[in-house]
Amino acid sequence: MVSLPQGFPAGAAIPDVVVELGEVFARAGHDLSLVGGPVRDLFLGRTSPDLDFTTDATPDQITAAVEGWADAHWDIGRAFGTIGIRRGEHTLEVTTYRSEAYDATSRKPTVQFGQSLAQDLVRRDFTVNAMALQLPSFELVDPHGGVRDLHAKVLRTPATAEESFSDDPLRMMRAARFASQLGLKVAEPVWSAMSGMAERLRIVSAERIQAELVKLICGADPRAGIDVMVETGLADIVLPEVPALKLTDDEHRRHKDVYQHSLQVMEQAAELETDSDGPVPRPDFVLRFAALMHDVGKPKTRRFESGGGVSFRHHDVVGAKLTRKRMQALKFDKESIRAVTLLVELHMRFYGYGDQGWSDSAVRRYVTDAGDQLDRLHRLTRSDVTTRNRKKATRLAHAYDDLETRISELREKEELAKIRPHLNGEQIMQILDLPPGPQVGRAYKFLLEHRMEHGPMDEEAAVALLRQWAEEQF
């Protein structure tokens, strides 16, 4: 690492490879600057995972300059002026100065190469990302007050917000993301432009929106990011089920604000994440997103009862369907969709345990239905308690403590994670002299249900049980 000169925060340093690349370009007669997030992070005391550079060199000149120095280089986005470079363990991206704009109906920018660093910086999303460190001189270029805005914790745009968001509407999502990740407050002109231009987000691809949403949810303060999305109208486009939670609050205040409750549950779930060696390492998108979405079925299931109460029967099942549909629209992978929707569907399963108690069979079903999401379900269920009634909260916490203890005891005795029927399919076919087919499936399901209900039994008893069932069925 190379330490930066006076004027930068104490201890600020950059990798040796950054200085080396600056010297390579200088020898070739080209300007080179570290730009954007890596420069911003120097002032935040963070190490940026990305190393992005901008230069006056064209893509062909970039590849010529690094020939012999780079271990490899490739056209990561030549049409956009970007060349990828690998040097040792470092992956670098160098982009020609750009000036770009989006057509009013297009998802892709019309790229034009710029002529200067100043022209490149003014087209960037926010002032905190419109700073450059010229190499190898280490001169900071900050024409739009990015350092000042970082200290003030405010998010502004280099050009007008309308111009910036017209160039790339996804920047509105980034504003919400930076509220979550960096704790920045959106400046009024930026907020106003976001509110007025939210509909333009519809032209952005679902994949790009998904990537920003994941970063927002995994930020240090996801509640702040979601609030920005909801209050500016971005959530109406991206995640309409969340602002709809506000509609469950009625003028008589007969039940809690479901929107604020959901944000609190998300916060509490994040607090229960583990270190990297634990079962739910932070930040965990699946747990946090399930917490945010767990009650989205309530607006569609709200009913006012004759006694003045409000009910939301089956909101867990309805919410799981709504969540699946939304995640599919945002092009999430199948495994993430399965995990989140399962948690939403099961988040109410625990309630009533403290009042009624569960049989061992019910505990087995709880574990089996949760499957590989049990550790997340534990945390989601505990996070779903936001009542101010301390006695009620304590009672629910003790009840869940008891449930987890019973799960541990049964798991130790019965290996709950590996619950299978007493006999497998081949044994069933051999004992009953059946060919493969639906009858074998029915027999397997019967044995599994019996195992869940009554616990393990030896093979001899299982064979007798199977024969008795088959006589009654066949």
Side-chain angles (χ1 to χ4, degrees), residues 35-90:
V35 70
V39 181
R40 177 200 68 218
D41 287 347
L42 287 173
F43 291 92
L44 294 174
R46 308 192 323 173
T47 300
S48 178
D50 303 313
L51 292 173
D52 299 325
F53 302 83
T54 188
T55 179
D56 60 348
T58 64
D60 287 340
Q61 290 172 329
I62 294 171
T63 56
V66 301
E67 193 70 45
W69 176 82
D71 296 330
H73 60 78
W74 57 92
D75 295 350
I76 193 172
R78 178 176 286 268
F80 296 91
T82 301
I83 300 296
I85 299 169
R86 181 169 56 80
R87 169 77 170 181
E89 62 181 11
H90 297 283

Side-chain angles (χ1 to χ4, degrees), residues 76-102:
I76 193 172
R78 178 176 286 268
F80 296 91
T82 301
I83 300 296
I85 299 169
R86 181 169 56 80
R87 169 77 170 181
E89 62 181 11
H90 297 283
T91 298
L92 319 170
E93 290 187 8
V94 183
T95 302
T96 306
Y97 295 151
R98 292 194 311 201
S99 176
E100 65 187 33
Y102 279 62

Side-chain angles (χ1 to χ4, degrees), residues 277-296:
D277 57 348
V280 186
R282 71 175 63 90
D284 189 84
F285 172 77
V286 169
L287 174 61
R288 295 183 183 197
F289 196 59
L292 176 64
M293 303 292 283
H294 77 285
D295 275 348
V296 295

